[in-house]
Amino acid sequence: MPLAFNIESRCGEARCGRLLTPHGEVETPVFMPVGTLATVKAVPQETLEELGAQLVLANTYHLYLRPGVEAVCEIGGLHAFMGWERALLTDSGGFQVFSLSPLRQLSEAGVEFRSHLDGSKHTLTPESATDAQVHLGADIIMAFDECTEYPAPRERAKESLELTLRWAARSKERFEEKKHEVPWRANDLKGKTQALFGIVQGGMYMDLRRESAGRTVELGFDGYAIGGLSVGEPRALTFETLSATLPLLPQDRPRYVMGVGTPEEIVEYAAMGVDMMDCVLPTRAARHGLLYTSEGRVNIKNAAYARDERPLDPGCGCRVCARYSRAYLRHLYASGEPLAQVLNSLHNLAHYLDTMRAVRHSIKLGDLSGLLSGVRARVNSKA
Amino acid sequence: MPLAFNIESRCGEARCGRLLTPHGEVETPVFMPVGTLATVKAVPQETLEELGAQLVLANTYHLYLRPGVEAVCEIGGLHAFMGWERALLTDSGGFQVFSLSPLRQLSEAGVEFRSHLDGSKHTLTPESATDAQVHLGADIIMAFDECTEYPAPRERAKESLELTLRWAARSKERFEEKKHEVPWRANDLKGKTQALFGIVQGGMYMDLRRESAGRTVELGFDGYAIGGLSVGEPRALTFETLSATLPLLPQDRPRYVMGVGTPEEIVEYAAMGVDMMDCVLPTRAARHGLLYTSEGRVNIKNAAYARDERPLDPGCGCRVCARYSRAYLRHLYASGEPLAQVLNSLHNLAHYLDTMRAVRHSIKLGDLSGLLSGVRARVNSKA
């Protein structure tokens, strides 16, 4: 098994474990910062290390277009390219093709699309997306899937999950053929290979979700992702879908929910037994001046902060909260200074990573109730 | 004297010394990164510390407009506002009024101008510029001057230097009245005051420069700046002006040349006996992908770097050169990633600050010839 996964503590459905990737150990549940173009926007890799990021996600679609897979492969893969020795995961590119490409044509073979950058024509298939991910060389890669839109009629969701299953089988087959082409150069990685995850689809139909889960597990992957969530559905439906799906995934394999969530949601999902999550929210919100704190959200552009000498979050130990005032962060944001994005992103990531650290600690202590009631109180106070 | 200055080594005209500001000691010759809006663009204060920045310049004109002097003053001054405990210097605002304001009207009293941000009308006088600088609370502040444009007819340069002298006297008088209003809160700063520097003008007329220097020194300041350089004149004229002016400034007071220069020029100026310099070039060039290295300039957007695994500057010990390849820096720049600005600025500042560290070391060793022949060879190889 290319990806050992040792569960060390449990608390209800939640689990705390260690994922042994070729580029180091990852404690789960883990939140993965998103580094779309092999960079978490505005945050240097040494800062990610300092924050305790263990696993970073990069987007195959974006890297395929720029700088191109070959440019990364020639240098020894993404780790070498971006100067990051810890673990990496790439998505399959499917989600971005559907969300970013202005024109796309789906067929059994794959997806033909136009680049959102220059309109040039490209094709991604389960085979080419797998090749791209092998050559990019992340530790964990994803089967090429079709992300079912929301809302989708049942028939459409069914067709989409069937296509995703056929693509999953082709992704797996291709991976077996190609997996030794991973461009890692280090001697201690000789002979090691990446891990391939399958993705469960099925729209918001619980029976389809169960069917997709069962048949994806039958195909057999190193880990299982639940896709097609956070696509605009009400949060209750997200929870329902996770509740229907998670029990059907193998207990001993990592479970990854893609593209979620708020700081409160990631606590809830971890409590349900999710091991891995990723989301652009901490860095994207930071760019819009929306900051997450232990006391709730702060919209730093608010004039009320102009003379506020307090740290952003007195309960946070990050570099930003240790050094800078709300007044200064507000000034940087209001002035359009690039340092605003740097500091805001750093803080929001610290908040997410600290939240997940607290989750792991609580699971080890065998009691998540305190954390859960805290985040629920925060959600209710907003509602 | 609010600003002790101890010269500890000499080498020809060059001097190596220590400037004792209320916020700590500054080794000279010193290069000051420019933090226009109380932030060196894209560089956190903790990174400036790590790079060894000892003295940072902020622009009064910009801070006066945004966030406003009172907002900074109420928080305890610029040091507290920006979370920077080392030394700070503010310029008088004069240069920016002349270079940035779309409409301005000069009179004996001062300058009426419109904000480059929203067109609102403002007035800066020697008195109000001094008040603003006292309330911003940098360690070193500047007399309000008129920066003579280039080229300027002799008569115009003469009028301008006379106005600057009258304004210098008024700035000094106002400073004496107001200096105890500095908003520093720390107990160990009780009773301490800022230092006020005068500025020599005189266009490119050597006799006028000598006259301006002599009469500014007669007024008596804590240090002396040479202004009106780097305004488009040929470099030979800059050198000639410095040669004409520096010998007339007191040996025992710091000499500051404003708004210079390239990495090669700052070595030359230090060799001529300049103690302080500031320039936006390292951070501005960084934003345009122009990087300074021990082997010369690198235009990182060049496609030739797309697969270049080497560090940007093998001779540099900064975090960027220790970790990232040219290929990665090129990718970040070409993709418009914010991390490009962060890393490029960090490296360029490291190059400047290391250059000045090497200058100080060579002065202490009593031999600047190696450094000077190195930078001259680099300049000639470009010519």
Side-chain angles (χ1 to χ4, degrees), chain A residues 28-60:
Chain A
T28 63
V30 63
F31 178 78
M32 297 181 263
V34 176
T36 296
L37 272 161
T39 160
V40 176
K41 290 199 187 301
V43 183
Q45 275 69 308
E46 50 275 23
T47 302
L48 293 173
E49 287 173 352
E50 175 192 323
L51 293 172
Q54 309 174 74
L55 179 51
V56 167
L57 178 147
N59 292 122
T60 298

Side-chain angles (χ1 to χ4, degrees), chain B residues 253-328:
Chain B
R253 291 284 87 206
R255 304 151 168 185
Y256 165 26
V257 179
M258 305 180 82
V260 296
T262 65
E264 293 79 19
E265 286 162 5
I266 65 175
V267 175
E268 296 280 2
Y269 300 155
M272 295 172 81
V274 175
D275 304 302
M276 301 163 64
M277 292 166 245
D278 76 279
C279 197
V280 294
L281 201 50
T283 44
R284 181 173 292 165
R287 293 200 292 284
H288 295 102
L290 186 68
L291 304 177
Y292 298 103
T293 79
S294 57
E295 295 164 347
R297 280 142 181 72
V298 164
N299 192 333
I300 201 65
K301 56 179 159 277
N302 197 315
Y305 299 120
R307 302 190 181 200
D308 190 336
E309 297 184 36
R310 288 173 298 170
L312 172 60
D313 182 356
C316 176
C318 86
R319 274 205 264 145
V320 177
C321 292
R323 180 159 204 158
Y324 303 102
S325 64
R326 295 178 182 188
Y328 186 62

Side-chain angles (χ1 to χ4, degrees), chain A residues 142-170:
Chain A
M142 306 300 295
F144 192 63
D145 66 325
E146 189 197 21
C147 179
T148 314
E149 68 282 3
Y150 176 83
R154 183 185 169 82
E155 197 174 333
R156 157 83 191 116
K158 170 73 174 155
E159 277 171 18
S160 176
L161 92 78
E162 293 287 350
L163 183 66
T164 289
L165 281 165
R166 291 192 297 276
W167 284 2
R170 284 165 56 190

